[in-house]
Amino acid sequence: MRVMARRVVRCGAGLILGTAAAAVELLFALLAGVALLPVAAWPRGRRAVLRPVLAGARILAELERGRLRMWLDLRVTPAYEDVRALRYVACHWALGVLGGVVMLTAAIGLAYGTFGVYGWLLLDGIRNPGSLVLGSLGGFFLVFLTVQGIFGVVGLEGQLARHFLGPRHQEELERRIAELSASRAAVVDAVNDERRRIERDLHDGVQQRLVALGMLLGRARRSQDADRRDRLLGQAHDESRRALDELREVAWRIYPTTLDEAGLRAALETVAERASVPVGVEYELAEEPEQAVATVAYFVVCEAVTNAVKHAAPTRISVAVRAEEKRMYVSVRDDGCGGANASGSGLFGLARRVAALDGSLSVDSPPGGPTLVAAELPCG
């Protein structure tokens, strides 16, 4: 409910700004029309007038892109032609006026709905309380309808922006093909990196432990001294336990069984328990995400926590997982020394894992800290 209320307020503010922008856009469209009309039949003069007009349209369209992204959570790429920006500006003012009408209606409904509160304070006496209650109910019902209208206008804003400023169908297909080709290559590279890491862990860790175990057992077999044989067998027993621990650690890093058996929340809590610094986990998902998404989210948290503990010397790490509008947001924040290299092998491998699911990974780690690793993944 709180998230919905924040979204309504944010979208309402965005529509109010859109109404203010619509006034500027309407004035700009009128002035552009007046300037172009005398030179419409003269190509050289038309090009001379169009040059500043298109530049102005580009500036207004860029301001609109910022408003759509910041307030309405609508993202439009900047790769559009100036002519399309001019068409967008020439058409958007009508939608801006519609948004203003919706917000004015919301204000009227809110004023009627809350009249009982300030009317009781301002008026000496209320002669007909029944009509006051009905008026308040009508006001709140009008607010409810205008909330639907806000989302409707936001939807129209998105369609208009994508129609004029978004890529054409052919361009979108080409972009998508390029993204899929890059994702496929990234997945192949990530799998190869993972395979080499597992081989290195087995060769440098578990294999060396097993070799040492074999040597201890061999020396114990050849020993004629009972005390020395017992010491060697004790050392062999300790070495076998360490080899088993390292083998479990390798298996855990490949894929934790907890993720399949108990879900993402339990797997993240296990990561927190295994860390050597306090790790707080805020898990706000109502449903278990798809297995592929849960796996990537797990590895983002696991790698980020491991990197922080190894390199940043933090005193506390916070992990947050939430979902909003079919997107899952995962963030890992630590209060360490910062300076994490986003192009390093670990974080770069995570970025490729996330990109393979059409997600995005960002790393904010200024020198001196703190460090924030955030991933956005599609879900649902």
Side-chain angles (χ1 to χ4, degrees), residues 1 52 125 155 168 175-177 194 270 283 289 304 311:
M1 190 65 185
R168 294 189 177 91
R175 184 189 64 81
R176 187 60 181 155
I177 290 172
E194 192 70 14
T270 305
Y283 188 88
H311 307 295

Side-chain angles (χ1 to χ4, degrees), residues 216-336:
L216 288 170
L217 291 175
R219 290 168 59 188
R221 287 184 59 188
R222 292 191 298 272
S223 177
Q224 303 298 321
D225 186 349
D227 293 338
R228 175 178 169 79
R229 185 168 57 247
D230 290 342
R231 286 197 305 273
L232 291 171
L233 287 176
Q235 294 176 14
H237 181 264
D238 294 339
E239 199 68 25
S240 68
R241 191 178 63 250
R242 284 192 286 269
L244 187 59
D245 291 341
E246 289 194 6
L247 191 58
R248 285 173 177 164
E249 188 68 24
V250 172
W252 175 266
R253 287 200 297 268
I254 295 173
Y255 189 84
T257 55
T258 309
L259 199 56
D260 281 339
E261 295 172 352
L264 178 60
R265 181 172 196 156
L268 297 183
E269 289 174 348
T270 305
V271 172
E273 293 171 358
R274 293 163 62 91
S276 58
V277 298
V279 178
V281 178
E282 295 182 11
Y283 188 88
E284 299 179 2
L285 299 185
E287 299 178 353
E288 183 70 13
E290 297 176 0
Q291 186 177 8
V293 177
T295 302
V296 172
Y298 165 78
F299 279 109
V300 168
V301 174
C302 190
E303 186 73 21
V305 170
T306 303
N307 285 346
V309 172
K310 280 185 178 178
H311 307 295
T315 59
R316 183 165 182 79
I317 301 174
S318 301
V319 176
V321 181
R322 63 182 177 85
E324 185 177 336
E325 296 180 355
K326 297 184 178 180
R327 308 289 291 181
M328 189 168 82
Y329 299 91
V330 181
S331 64
V332 180
R333 182 189 299 273
D334 69 73
D335 60 354

Side-chain angles (χ1 to χ4, degrees), residues 72-380:
L72 306 186
D73 202 20
L74 299 172
R75 287 171 173 76
V76 182
T77 64
Y80 54 85
E81 301 169 355
D82 291 345
V83 175
R84 301 180 72 192
L86 179 60
R87 292 171 182 166
Y88 172 78
V89 170
C91 295
H92 177 260
W93 66 268
L95 197 54
V97 172
L98 177 61
V101 171
V102 171
M103 294 309 299
L104 179 62
T105 308
I108 294 173
L110 191 62
Y112 271 102
T114 56
F115 179 75
V117 177
Y118 56 82
W120 179 74
L121 296 173
L122 298 177
L123 301 179
D124 293 337
I126 298 176
R127 298 178 180 177
N128 193 350
S131 61
L132 182 63
V133 172
L134 288 176
S136 297
L137 291 176
F140 283 123
F141 184 68
L142 190 59
V143 170
F144 171 77
L145 293 179
T146 52
V147 167
Q148 311 306 314
I150 288 174
F151 290 136
V153 175
V154 170
L156 292 176
E157 290 261 20
Q159 291 183 19
L160 187 72
R162 284 189 288 271
H163 178 73
F164 286 105
L165 305 182
R168 294 189 177 91
H169 184 62
Q170 183 67 26
E171 295 173 347
E172 182 66 17
L173 287 178
E174 292 176 356
R175 184 189 64 81
R176 187 60 181 155
I177 290 172
E179 284 183 356
L180 291 176
S181 299
S183 296
R184 184 185 61 182
V187 168
V188 172
D189 290 343
V191 170
N192 285 333
D193 290 345
E194 192 70 14
R195 178 181 56 79
R196 285 194 290 270
R197 186 180 65 80
I198 294 170
E199 289 174 352
R200 186 172 60 250
D201 288 346
L202 291 174
H203 180 269
D204 297 342
V206 179
Q207 182 177 331
Q208 299 303 318
R209 294 286 182 195
L210 293 177
V211 169
L213 174 62
M215 294 176 62
L216 288 170
L217 291 175
R219 290 168 59 188
R221 287 184 59 188
R222 292 191 298 272
S223 177
Q224 303 298 321
D225 186 349
D227 293 338
R228 175 178 169 79
R229 185 168 57 247
D230 290 342
R231 286 197 305 273
L232 291 171
L233 287 176
Q235 294 176 14
H237 181 264
D238 294 339
E239 199 68 25
S240 68
R241 191 178 63 250
R242 284 192 286 269
L244 187 59
D245 291 341
E246 289 194 6
L247 191 58
R248 285 173 177 164
E249 188 68 24
V250 172
W252 175 266
R253 287 200 297 268
I254 295 173
Y255 189 84
T257 55
T258 309
L259 199 56
D260 281 339
E261 295 172 352
L264 178 60
R265 181 172 196 156
L268 297 183
E269 289 174 348
T270 305
V271 172
E273 293 171 358
R274 293 163 62 91
S276 58
V277 298
V279 178
V281 178
E282 295 182 11
Y283 188 88
E284 299 179 2
L285 299 185
E287 299 178 353
E288 183 70 13
E290 297 176 0
Q291 186 177 8
V293 177
T295 302
V296 172
Y298 165 78
F299 279 109
V300 168
V301 174
C302 190
E303 186 73 21
V305 170
T306 303
N307 285 346
V309 172
K310 280 185 178 178
H311 307 295
T315 59
R316 183 165 182 79
I317 301 174
S318 301
V319 176
V321 181
R322 63 182 177 85
E324 185 177 336
E325 296 180 355
K326 297 184 178 180
R327 308 289 291 181
M328 189 168 82
Y329 299 91
V330 181
S331 64
V332 180
R333 182 189 299 273
D334 69 73
D335 60 354
C337 60
N341 183 11
S343 59
S345 59
L347 292 175
F348 185 63
L350 280 184
R352 290 191 298 194
R353 277 179 181 266
V354 174
L357 292 181
D358 285 342
S360 62
L361 181 82
S362 62
V363 179
D364 182 17
S365 182
T371 296
L372 173 64
V373 178
E376 180 179 342
L377 297 165
C379 65

